[in-house]
Amino acid sequence: LGYMKVAFPLMLMSIVVSTVYLLFWHHYHGLVSLLGTLAAGALIWLVSIPVNNLLLRTEETSAGKVLSGPGQA
């Protein structure tokens, strides 16, 4: 049930984004859709860089806490 609480909203978001993308591609088939796809990919890549750095930093911090153990700071 815990997995379902996390995965179901992500699945719905994925379906909505995919449907919008397919409708956009169908309506603007050609150069506009290709440039839009490249722009969206570049934007997602630029946003993912700080998010990945933040997640890696959080993972390293929590791994350090696990390795040091309780009461061993």
Side-chain angles (χ1 to χ4, degrees), residues 11 18 33 38 52 62 66 70:
M11 181 209 50
S18 299
S33 58
L38 289 174
N52 286 337
S62 61
V66 171

Side-chain angles (χ1 to χ4, degrees), residues 5-61:
K5 288 179 182 178
V6 174
F8 190 74
L10 292 174
M11 181 209 50
L12 289 178
M13 185 175 58
S14 174
I15 290 172
V16 168
V17 168
S18 299
T19 303
V20 169
Y21 174 73
L22 288 173
L23 288 172
F24 177 76
W25 187 270
H26 178 70
H27 186 67
Y28 294 108
H29 56 280
L31 186 60
V32 173
S33 58
L34 178 63
L35 293 176
T37 301
L38 289 174
L43 181 65
I44 291 170
W45 175 67
L46 287 173
V47 168
S48 71
I49 294 171
V51 171
N52 286 337
N53 289 338
L54 178 66
L55 290 174
L56 287 174
R57 207 171 317 124
T58 304
E59 186 178 297
E60 289 172 357
T61 304

